[in-house]
C-alpha cells in the first residue's frame, strides 16, 4: 500500500489498542524531555567522545528507538506534539513566541488528571511559560518565570538541571500512593553552551557535549531516586529529545530554520513498567507517538491523534511503516523565506519546498545527495502522503486565532535573547528562497539583533543594508531597519523600509504601525488612516492596528468612527484597556465628563499605562481638564514604574 493510503488507518490504530492489555497501569509515568539534544551525541547512540553514562544505563534496560523523528525543530511545537499526539499543523503551536497551544487542545496531562492522576510539570525555559498553553492539565506547573520575581531571574533565563531534578524528586516524595505523571524538562544543551565545572574543563573545545554531560548527570540523580524509592518497576519512563542542533551541519549553527536530520533526529528511550530487556527498534517513529503510548499504558482512551501507541512495540512487535510528518515554518514566519514540510517513510525522506528534496537516509544519512530528480514516482507518492496528513490534521473546525500568542514586548525580547527572533507572523513572500540557500545570513541577522538590543542603531542599520543586498525581502531585517531608523530620527529612511516591506508583506502589522506612526507624527493623518484601514482589513483581530486606527480617526476629529472602532474591539473581547481611553476621550470631547472619568478609571483598573508617545497624545490631552484626571494620570505613571 502507498504511504498516503496507509496513514489514516494507522493513525486510528491507537483507538483500537488503548486499554486492551490485562496488566495493571503503572504507578508513575515520567516524561523526561531533553531540549536541543542530538541523538548522535549520546553514548547509547554510538557517540564515543561524550559522557552520558546514566542515559546509556537506562538504554541498557529499555527500548531505544534508533530513528525517532521530531515534528519540528523548535521547542514549543515539538513539546506540543508530544503532549497532544497531534502534528503542529493540527495543534497550531508552530513557533516559539508567535503561537500558543489552544485551550481546545487535549493534552496527555489533561487526560491523566481527569483520570485521577497527580500531574506535575517542571519546565526549564522561557518558551515553556504558562502563557504558551503548554501547561494545560498540570495541577502543579513550576513556571519559574511566575514563581520567581523578574529581578531574580538567572542571566541564562533557564532553570538549571539540578533544580529540575530537585523538583522532580520532591514530586516523587509527595506522591502519597496516588498515580503520578511527572514531566521534567532539561534545557542544558540549548545555546549558549556554558557547561559547569568539571565539564567546562573536560569539554573545553566541545562545550555542547559538556552541556549534554551535565544534563545526563542530573537525570542520573533522578533515576537513582526512582530506584531508591522502589518505584522503578512500577514506572513508565519516556526520555525524548524535542529537537536536535545544527552544529554547522548544512551551515546551520543552532536549529529551527532547516529540517535536516541534525535537528530532526532525536533520542527516544522508553522503559515500560516491569522488568524489561534492552532492545533497539530501527523502524522510524515520531514524537507524536508519545502521548498515545502514555495514554495506552494508563488505560485512557484519547481523542483524535496522528501518533499511535507504541505499547505493542515495547512488548516486542515492530512499528508499522507509515508516513511521519515534519515541518519548519520559522524561516518563513521570521525572514520571509520559504516554508518547509515533509514526510519520512522508512529510509526515505521527502521535503516540500521551493526546490523539493529527496534523500535515502539508509545510504546517505548526512543528506548530501538529493535524489528528487531521479525518483519522480517516489516523490509523487510521498507528496500525496504529505497532503493526506495535512488534510487529515485539519479536517476539523478550529479557530485559527486561538493559536496566536499574545506576549508582551518584554517577553518577546527574552525569546529574542534565546535566538528566537521575530515575534510576529506575516504572510508568505512570492518566490521565497529556500532557507538552505539563505542560512549563511543567519549570523548577520543575529548580529543585527544584538546591535539593536544594545541600541547601536547606526551599526545595526549598516548590517541591515548589507543583509538586504543579498536578501531584499527579509521581513525581520526590514522591520528592524525601519525601527532603527526611527530611533535615529531618520524618518524618511524609516518610511522607505516600511514601504518596501509592505509591498511584499501587506498584512505585516508591526511595519504598518511604524508607517502609520510616522505619518501621524508628520500630521499626514489621512494617509495614516488609509494605511491602518488596510491593515485592519487584512488583520481584523489585530488590537494594535485597531487602536492606532481609532487614535488617528480621533485626531482627525472623526469621533464617531473612532468610537465605533474602539467599541468593535471591546465587544470582541480585546484585552487592551487603551480602547477604553478612546471611549473616555470621545466622551470628554462630547462634554460627558462623568462618562469619560468612568471609562478612564476602568482602563486604569484593567492595567492601562502610557507605553509610547502615541498613547500620551492626543487622547490624554483631551482628558486633562477633567476633574480627577491628575489622580488617574498619577496612577498610570505608578503602574509604569
Amino acid at each position: 500500500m502507498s504511504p498516503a493510503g496507509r496513514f489514516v488507518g494507522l493513525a486510528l490504530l491507537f483507538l483500537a489498542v488503548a486499554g486492551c492489555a490485562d496488566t495493571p497501569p503503572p504507578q508513575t509515568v515520567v516524561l523526561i524531555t531533553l531540549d536541543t539534544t542530538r541523538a548522535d551525541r549520546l553514548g547509547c547512540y554510538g557517540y564515543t567522545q561524550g559522557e552520558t553514562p546514566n542515559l546509556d544505563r537506562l538504554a541498557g534496560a529499555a527500548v531505544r528507538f534508533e530513528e525517532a523523528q521530531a515534528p519540528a525543530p523548535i521547542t514549543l511545537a515539538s513539546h506540543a506534539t508530544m503532549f497532544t499526539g497531534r502534528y503542529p499543523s493540527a495543534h497550531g503551536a508552530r513557533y516559539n513566541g508567535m503561537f500558543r497551544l489552544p485551550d481546545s487542545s487535549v493534552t496527555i496531562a489533561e487526560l491523566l488528571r481527569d483520570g485521577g492522576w497527580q500531574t506535575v510539570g517542571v519546565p526549564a525555559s522561557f518558551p515553556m511559560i504558562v502563557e504558551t498553553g503548554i501547561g494545560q492539565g498540570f495541577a502543579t506547573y513550576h513556571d519559574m518565570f511566575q514563581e520567581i520575581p523578574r529581578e531574580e531571574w538567572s542571566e541564562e533565563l533557564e532553570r538549571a538541571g539540578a533544580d529540575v531534578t530537585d523538583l522532580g524528586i520532591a514530586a516523587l516524595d509527595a506522591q502519597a500512593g496516588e498515580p503520578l505523571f511527572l514531566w521534567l524538562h532539561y534545557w542544558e544543551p540549548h545555546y549558549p553552551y556554558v557547561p559547569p565545572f568539571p565539564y567546562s574543563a573536560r569539554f573545553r573545545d566541545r562545550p555542547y557535549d559538556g552541556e549534554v554531560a551535565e544534563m545526563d548527570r542530573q537525570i542520573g540523580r533522578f533515576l537513582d531516586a526512582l530506584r531508591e524509592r522502589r518505584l522503578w518497576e512500577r514506572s513508565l519512563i519516556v526520555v525524548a529529545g524535542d529537537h536536535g542542533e545544527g552544529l554547522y551541519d548544512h551551515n546551520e549553527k543552532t536549529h529551527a530554520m532547516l529540517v535536516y536530520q541534525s535537528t530532526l533526529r532525536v533520542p527516544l528511550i522508553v522503559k515500560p513498567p516491569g522488568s524489561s530487556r534492552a532492545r533497539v527498534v530501527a523502524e522510524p517513529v515520531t514524537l507524536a507517538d508519545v502521548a498515545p503510548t502514555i495514554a495506552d499504558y494508563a488505560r485512557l482512551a484519547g481523542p483524535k491523534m496522528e501518533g499511535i501507541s507504541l505499547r505493542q512495540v515495547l512488548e516486542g512487535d515492530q512499528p508499522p511503516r507509515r508516513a511521519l510528518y515534519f515541518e519548519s515554518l520559522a524561516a518563513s514566519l521570521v525572514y520571509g523565506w520559504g516554508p518547509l514540510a515533509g514526510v519520512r517513510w522508512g529510509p526515505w525522506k521527502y521535503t516540500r519546498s521551493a526546490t523539493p528534496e529527496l534523500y535515502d537516509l539508509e545510504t546517505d544519512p548526512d543528506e548530501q545527495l538529493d535524489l528528487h530528480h531521479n525518483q519522480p514516482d517516489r516523490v509523487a507518492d510521498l507528496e500525496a502522503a504529505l497532503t493526506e496528513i495535512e488534510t487529515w490534521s485539519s479536517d476539523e473546525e478550529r479557530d485559527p486565532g486561538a493559536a496566536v500568542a499574545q506576549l508582551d514586548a518584554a517577553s518577546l525580547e527574552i525569546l529574542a535573547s534565546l535566538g528566537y527572533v521575530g515575534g510576529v507572523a506575516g504572510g508568505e513572500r512570492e518566490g521565497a528562497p529556500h532557507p538552505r540557500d539563505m542560512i549563511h545570513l543567519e549570523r548577520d541577522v543575529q548580529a543585527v539583533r544584538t546591535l539593536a538590543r544594545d541600541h547601536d542603531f547606526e551599526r545595526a542599520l549598516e548590517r541591515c543594508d548589507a543583509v538586504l543586498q543579498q536578501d531584499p525581502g527579509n521581513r525581520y531585517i526590514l522591520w528592524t531597519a525601519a525601527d532603527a531608523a526611527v530611533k535615529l530620527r531618520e524618518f524618511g529612511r524609516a518610511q522607505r523600509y516600511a514601504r518596501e516591506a509592505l509591498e511584499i508583506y501587506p498584512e505585516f502589522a508591526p511595519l504598518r504601525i511604524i508607517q502609520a506612526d510616522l505619518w501621524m507624527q508628520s500630521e499626514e493623518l489621512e494617509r495614516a488612516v488609509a494605511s491602518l484601514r488596510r491593515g485592519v482589513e487584512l488583520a481584523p483581530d489585530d488590537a494594535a492596528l485597531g487602536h492606532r486606527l481609532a487614535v488617528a480617526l480621533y485626531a482627525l476629529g472623526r469621533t464617531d468612527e473612532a468610537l465605533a472602532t474602539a467599541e468593535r474591539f471591546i465587544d470582541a473581547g480585546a484585552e487592551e484597556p487603551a480602547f477604553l481611553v478612546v471611549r473616555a476621550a470621545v466622551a470628554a470631547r462630547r462634554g460627558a465628563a462623568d462618562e469619560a472619568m468612568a471609562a478612564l478609571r476602568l482602563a486604569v483598573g484593567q492595567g492601562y499605562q502610557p507605553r509610547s508617545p502615541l498613547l500620551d497624545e492626543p487622547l490624554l490631552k483631551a482628558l486633562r481638564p477633567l476633574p480627577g484626571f491628575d489622580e488617574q494620570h498619577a496612577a498610570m505613571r505608578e503602574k509604569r514604574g
Side-chain angles (χ1 to χ4, degrees):
M1 186 180 295
S2 70
R6 295 186 63 184
F7 169 71
V8 172
L10 290 171
L12 294 175
L13 177 64
F14 163 65
L15 296 177
V17 303
C20 66
D22 296 328
T23 56
Q27 182 69 11
T28 306
V29 172
V30 180
L31 172 60
I32 299 174
T33 57
L34 319 177
D35 213 289
T36 323
T37 302
R38 290 174 60 135
D40 62 6
R41 287 302 191 273
L42 303 185
C44 54
Y45 281 86
Y47 192 53
T48 59
Q49 301 180 60
E51 189 174 321
T52 55
N54 296 293
L55 289 171
D56 299 345
R57 180 185 177 192
L58 174 66
V63 177
R64 179 174 64 81
F65 292 85
E66 183 69 20
E67 295 289 335
Q69 197 83 5
I74 195 73
T75 299
L76 178 60
S78 193
H79 277 86
T81 289
M82 281 191 271
F83 286 5
T84 65
R86 309 298 313 270
Y87 287 131
S89 54
H91 61 61
R94 306 176 88 163
Y95 185 63
N96 299 343
M98 296 184 186
F99 303 98
R100 66 184 305 276
L101 185 63
D103 294 340
S104 58
S105 297
V106 179
T107 69
I108 187 61
E110 289 178 292
L111 285 177
L112 293 169
R113 178 201 62 195
D114 294 346
W117 289 60
Q118 295 182 44
T119 53
V120 178
V122 187
S125 67
F126 197 80
M128 298 283 97
I129 59 175
V130 70
E131 287 85 353
T132 64
I134 203 70
Q136 295 175 44
F138 287 102
T140 301
Y141 194 74
H142 291 286
D143 182 346
M144 64 176 287
F145 298 96
Q146 290 200 344
E147 296 176 344
I148 302 172
R150 184 178 288 251
E151 59 272 15
E152 296 179 17
W153 291 357
S154 70
E155 184 177 344
E156 296 79 16
L157 297 169
E158 67 180 272
R159 172 176 273 128
D163 295 335
V164 172
T165 293
D166 289 345
L167 288 168
I169 294 173
L172 296 180
D173 290 336
Q175 190 168 352
E178 295 181 338
L180 169 68
F181 172 55
L182 174 62
W183 167 48
L184 303 180
H185 175 216
Y186 291 88
W187 182 254
E188 269 72 11
H190 195 283
Y191 185 83
Y193 320 127
V194 189
F197 186 83
Y199 304 116
S200 57
R202 292 182 199 170
F203 298 96
R204 182 178 292 106
D205 299 326
R206 290 178 288 113
Y208 176 82
D209 290 349
E211 292 277 36
V212 172
E214 167 61 12
M215 175 179 66
D216 178 86
R217 175 169 65 174
Q218 299 305 331
I219 292 172
R221 288 180 53 226
F222 177 79
L223 296 179
D224 286 344
L226 273 178
R227 296 183 183 97
E228 291 164 1
R229 286 156 180 76
R230 299 182 179 179
L231 294 170
W232 186 263
E233 293 293 325
R234 295 177 292 161
S235 295
L236 169 65
I237 303 170
V238 181
V239 175
D242 67 339
H243 56 78
E245 188 77 320
L247 301 179
Y248 293 104
D249 287 351
H250 298 274
N251 294 320
E252 186 173 26
K253 177 182 178 181
T254 57
H255 59 272
M257 298 296 158
L258 305 182
V259 289
Y260 296 107
Q261 291 302 93
S262 51
T263 60
L264 288 187
R265 182 183 176 226
V266 294
L268 179 61
I269 304 167
V270 183
K271 188 207 79 67
S275 300
S276 61
R277 60 184 177 84
R279 179 164 166 254
V280 177
V281 175
E283 180 66 27
V285 297
T286 169
L287 293 183
D289 298 335
V290 168
T293 300
I294 293 173
D296 191 355
Y297 271 97
R299 308 296 185 272
L300 296 170
K304 172 180 175 179
M305 298 182 184
E306 283 84 3
I308 64 172
S309 172
L310 297 176
R311 179 170 186 162
Q312 292 177 324
V313 178
L314 295 171
E315 295 173 356
D317 290 348
Q318 288 295 321
R321 179 153 294 183
R322 58 207 158 108
L324 308 177
Y325 175 86
F326 60 85
E327 70 169 36
S328 175
L329 299 187
S332 176
L333 292 167
V334 177
Y335 303 139
W337 302 342
L340 302 172
V343 289
R344 174 86 183 268
W345 173 264
W348 293 99
K349 181 181 176 185
Y350 165 71
T351 303
R352 177 207 291 152
S353 66
T355 54
E357 297 170 83
L358 178 70
Y359 297 101
D360 180 354
L361 298 178
E362 186 172 12
T363 61
D364 180 25
D366 296 327
E367 298 165 281
Q368 299 297 315
L369 181 62
D370 180 6
L371 300 173
H372 86 274
H373 287 301
N374 303 335
Q375 303 246 8
D377 292 342
R378 193 177 300 278
V379 167
D381 280 349
L382 294 175
E383 173 61 35
L386 172 57
T387 300
E388 182 174 4
I389 292 173
E390 291 172 330
T391 301
W392 196 78
S393 296
S394 60
D395 67 356
E396 62 202 49
E397 292 188 10
R398 176 169 59 83
D399 177 9
V404 177
Q406 299 292 334
L407 298 183
D408 58 26
S411 297
L412 293 174
E413 177 58 29
I414 290 170
L415 285 169
S417 72
L418 298 173
Y420 303 115
V421 297
V424 182
E428 290 190 16
R429 163 182 169 189
E430 185 176 351
H434 194 303
R436 172 197 60 208
D437 300 329
M438 291 288 146
I439 195 67
H440 66 282
L441 293 175
E442 192 173 21
R443 181 179 299 179
D444 292 319
V445 172
Q446 292 293 346
V448 166
R449 181 193 64 78
T450 300
L451 290 167
R453 182 198 62 198
D454 295 342
H455 295 176
D456 191 348
F457 298 116
E458 289 188 6
R459 291 178 62 202
L461 273 178
E462 291 176 5
R463 295 295 286 268
C464 283
D465 287 336
V467 172
L468 292 172
Q469 286 181 2
Q470 300 181 66
D471 185 20
N474 191 300
R475 179 192 289 115
Y476 175 75
I477 292 296
L478 286 167
W479 177 18
T480 304
D483 184 64
V486 168
K487 299 293 196 309
L488 293 172
R489 304 189 65 79
E490 295 186 28
F491 300 134
R493 191 176 180 183
Q495 278 283 22
R496 176 171 60 81
Y497 290 125
R499 182 176 63 254
E500 291 174 359
L502 291 173
E503 287 175 357
I504 305 170
Y505 312 107
E507 69 298 309
F508 190 43
L511 271 166
R512 192 168 291 279
I513 287 172
I514 288 176
Q515 181 185 68
D517 285 357
L518 289 168
W519 275 329
M520 291 176 72
Q521 289 178 16
S522 61
E523 298 185 358
E524 297 181 77
L525 297 176
E526 291 288 0
R527 298 184 74 177
V529 166
S531 179
L532 290 165
R533 280 199 191 283
R534 178 60 177 153
V536 171
E537 287 174 4
L538 294 169
D541 298 323
D542 193 296
L545 283 171
H547 178 248
R548 292 302 203 287
L549 177 58
V551 170
L553 289 166
Y554 179 90
L556 275 170
R558 290 151 65 172
T559 51
D560 289 346
E561 293 178 70
L563 182 61
T565 300
E567 295 294 346
R568 181 178 78 79
F569 280 89
I570 292 172
D571 292 343
E575 297 180 2
E576 176 49 76
F579 287 115
L580 293 168
V581 180
V582 176
R583 178 192 288 174
V586 171
R589 180 170 285 183
R590 293 173 175 174
D594 291 344
E595 181 183 341
M597 282 307 303
L600 183 60
R601 290 191 184 96
L602 185 59
V604 173
Q606 291 185 9
Y608 175 78
Q609 50 183 298
R611 287 178 292 277
S612 75
L614 181 67
L615 298 186
D616 280 327
E617 63 82 28
L619 302 182
L620 296 184
K621 289 181 180 178
L623 297 170
R624 287 191 177 100
L626 294 177
F629 174 80
D630 289 340
E631 291 81 0
Q632 293 302 316
H633 194 255
M636 297 177 204
R637 297 295 176 185
E638 183 178 350
K639 283 180 178 291
R640 182 161 59 180

